[in-house]
Amino acid sequence: MPIVGNVIRRDIDQMVNRVLEAAPVINPVGRFGEDTEYARMMVDLLQYTRDTEENFHNDLEDAIQDFFFTGEGILFEGWNQDAEQGMGAPEARWVDPRFLIWDAAARNWQRDDADYMIHFEPKKVDTIEELYGLSDVQADYPGFFTGSEDVARGGREYGVARGDPGNKGSSVGSSEDMAYVKTMYEKIYRQKSRYTLANGENATIPDAEGGSRDITDDDFELLPPERQAELTKVKGRVAELYETIVVNDQTVSRELSIYDVSNGGHGEYPFAFFSYVRIRDRSHSKGEIDYLVGMQDLINRTLARWLEQMMIAGSNYVVSPKGSLPREDEEKLKNIGRYPLQ
């Protein structure tokens, strides 16, 4: 008699609530004296955006639950240009860890050493077509997530029968078709030269806007020999953050991400990871459930055996295959059960 006495969910809910009561935050910190005021301003701005985001606390709770359940809680920390009536604002949004994959060789806590990350975001087909100017987008989001596959199939057959092969089931009230918007953030590494002064600072020249910029290889070739002798050439590896959007098998766009350094960004992936138990040779962390499954299985088996023994002990009968006992012992069986509680 299989039975489940679920104690894992109760324990996990208590852990989640303890963490949420502590109000976990991620704040920028000024590392140098001249950055102190700037860092304070950024902290105030970040806190303001958190207060104005209606769903932030719900998204944070979902991320902390994933943190304990699967070992990976993820928030998208990016920029929403549609916020504030088109002025734009920072945005923190929960990401389902099942729909984000990354370079398995990444080992840093925030996976900033990964070569790529791919976010599979399901959206309605008509929304995708409107956003990216596409036509005839095929639904590739699995039907078992929405429970609409059978309904949609019946709608298509209904449409074909009425001479409308393009019907996708909407006429019989099926759920709307959905497809993945696959966004890949990829770091492309290249060698970059820079020129430094004797004190180690980057050498600069005036630019057309009245400011200054770092000296490039082409600029260095145009400098007089005495000026070139004052500079030291240093080579280093830098990363450019590219963003590629794919719908079905069609590449919608591929360009430098708005988070790339050249666009004024931080140059890192726009995801914040909450990892539970890190294991060096695994790309994903382990959750608390991994450690509670053994105890839960033991509880289930104990309860099942206990109920089974209660039923057997309370049954007043004996099974004896005919012919397995001597005749005189078979006669004794008639007396079994004659007395109460025997």
Side-chain angles (χ1 to χ4, degrees):
M1 180 184 295
I3 188 172
V4 176
N6 191 346
V7 299
I8 291 181
R9 184 58 192 255
R10 179 190 60 193
D11 293 342
I12 295 295
D13 285 344
Q14 292 176 352
M15 296 177 185
V16 171
N17 291 332
R18 283 197 294 266
V19 173
L20 292 175
E21 284 295 323
V25 294
I26 301 176
N27 284 334
V29 178
R31 297 298 182 186
F32 304 99
E34 61 269 20
D35 294 335
T36 302
E37 294 300 324
Y38 179 71
R40 289 177 180 173
M41 181 182 67
M42 291 299 297
V43 171
D44 292 340
L45 176 61
L46 182 63
Q47 187 59 50
Y48 169 77
T49 61
R50 293 294 190 252
D51 294 339
T52 57
E53 289 184 54
E54 296 180 356
N55 295 322
F56 170 70
H57 296 288
N58 294 333
D59 288 346
L60 179 61
E61 181 175 351
D62 288 338
I64 298 301
Q65 283 185 342
D66 290 337
F67 167 78
F68 284 107
F69 290 169
T70 69
E72 296 290 358
I74 305 173
L75 284 177
F76 172 82
E77 292 280 0
W79 181 262
N80 182 5
Q81 189 59 52
D82 297 330
E84 299 292 333
Q85 298 181 348
M87 294 182 61
E91 178 187 33
R93 187 174 73 248
W94 167 74
V95 174
D96 192 328
R98 299 173 300 171
F99 294 159
L100 182 69
I101 63 175
W102 56 84
D103 181 9
R107 287 296 176 267
N108 291 354
W109 281 90
Q110 290 301 318
R111 276 72 173 186
D112 50 3
D113 59 335
D115 287 339
Y116 64 87
M117 288 188 185
I118 306 176
H119 183 203
F120 292 76
E121 186 175 10
K123 291 181 177 292
K124 295 179 181 179
V125 168
D126 56 353
T127 301
I128 296 174
E129 294 176 345
E130 179 183 354
L131 285 175
Y132 302 108
L134 302 175
S135 60
D136 195 27
V137 173
Q138 302 299 315
D140 57 10
Y141 184 65
F144 58 79
F145 279 129
T146 59
S148 62
E149 189 169 354
D150 293 335
V151 178
R153 184 184 302 112
R156 285 191 289 270
E157 294 173 354
Y158 172 81
V160 172
R162 293 179 58 88
D164 179 15
N167 185 284
K168 297 182 179 180
S170 58
S171 60
V172 291
S174 68
S175 299
E176 296 191 51
D177 291 331
M178 300 182 71
Y180 286 114
V181 175
K182 291 160 279 191
T183 304
M184 180 173 72
Y185 300 91
E186 180 183 15
K187 287 186 177 181
I188 305 297
Y189 295 92
R190 62 180 179 85
Q191 293 291 331
K192 181 181 179 181
S193 300
R194 64 185 181 92
Y195 295 86
T196 61
L197 302 172
N199 59 4
E201 295 181 358
N202 287 349
T204 61
I205 59 173
D207 60 13
E209 299 177 357
S212 62
R213 61 178 176 82
D214 293 341
I215 292 178
T216 64
D217 289 335
D218 294 336
D219 297 330
F220 181 80
E221 295 297 331
L222 299 176
L223 295 176
E226 60 273 13
R227 175 63 170 158
Q228 292 181 355
E230 298 175 355
L231 305 179
T232 302
K233 184 177 182 179
V234 179
K235 285 187 176 181
R237 194 176 75 149
V238 297
E240 294 179 335
L241 185 63
Y242 277 83
E243 184 174 330
T244 305
I245 298 177
V246 176
V247 176
N248 296 150
D249 294 330
Q250 181 178 352
T251 301
V252 177
S253 65
R254 176 173 171 77
E255 58 189 4
L256 275 174
S257 173
I258 62 172
Y259 308 112
D260 186 69
V261 175
S262 62
N263 287 329
H266 44 60
E268 301 296 343
Y269 301 111
F271 300 100
F273 288 86
F274 301 80
S275 299
Y276 192 60
V277 178
R278 294 291 307 280
I279 300 177
R280 292 187 178 183
D281 60 347
R282 288 181 53 169
S283 62
H284 288 62
S285 300
K286 294 184 67 174
E288 184 68 22
I289 290 180
D290 285 349
Y291 299 99
L292 295 177
V293 167
M295 181 186 70
Q296 180 67 64
D297 185 58
L298 180 62
I299 292 175
N300 295 343
R301 290 173 179 267
T302 303
L303 287 175
R305 292 291 180 88
W306 173 63
L307 290 176
E308 182 181 358
Q309 291 301 318
M310 284 186 62
M311 293 190 64
I312 292 178
S315 300
N316 202 8
Y317 63 89
V318 175
V319 176
S320 175
K322 187 175 182 180
S324 63
L325 295 175
R327 185 174 298 276
E328 58 272 16
D329 292 332
E330 288 184 7
E331 294 297 326
K332 297 178 181 179
L333 292 177
K334 298 178 181 179
N335 296 324
I336 294 180
R338 181 184 298 269
Y339 303 104
L341 303 180
Q342 180 176 356

